[in-house]
Amino acid sequence: MNPFELLKDIDAMKKQLGNVQNDLAGISATGSSGGNIVNVTLNGKFEITNLRLDPVCVDPRDIKMLEDLIVAAHHDAMSKIQEEIKNKFGPMLGGLQGLV
């Protein structure tokens, strides 16, 4: 293969990767737990962009329950983001899907 063609392909892949990274920032999903009393919203980069707690779940005598609800809502949001990434970018990622 011509080395110049290879460089052209690499440049195209870099551009495509940059576009994917920009698109990931625009994806978001909200996970919930405890009958929707805890909600966690993540963006496509798996960063928490919002956390909403219903006052009913804030009991200083049961911090462990609140911690568990937050973790469960975060897990739910992560699963939704992963599914959306697979649906949106799956064909583009090809064999890299196991990493998402």
Side-chain angles (χ1 to χ4, degrees):
M1 175 177 245
N2 182 343
F4 295 109
E5 287 295 320
L6 184 59
L7 287 175
K8 201 184 298 183
D9 290 346
I10 290 172
D11 285 340
M13 288 173 53
K14 282 183 184 177
K15 184 177 179 183
Q16 190 175 17
L17 182 58
N19 292 339
V20 168
Q21 288 175 333
N22 289 336
D23 290 346
L24 286 175
I27 295 174
S28 72
T30 300
S32 65
S33 66
N36 214 30
I37 62 173
V38 174
N39 291 287
V40 173
T41 302
L42 300 177
N43 65 18
K45 296 179 180 181
F46 298 98
E47 300 165 332
I48 295 176
T49 58
N50 191 35
L51 173 65
R52 189 189 63 75
L53 304 174
D54 186 309
V56 76
C57 73
V58 182
D59 181 355
R61 297 169 301 191
D62 198 0
I63 297 298
K64 180 65 178 146
M65 179 198 65
L66 179 56
E67 292 169 345
D68 290 345
L69 288 171
I70 292 170
V71 169
H74 183 265
H75 183 352
D76 186 37
M78 282 187 55
S79 295
K80 290 176 181 177
I81 286 288
Q82 289 172 337
E83 189 62 33
E84 190 164 344
I85 289 171
K86 285 179 189 175
N87 290 337
K88 188 168 186 171
F89 301 109
M92 189 182 328
L93 295 176
L96 300 177
Q97 284 186 16
L99 300 175
V100 177

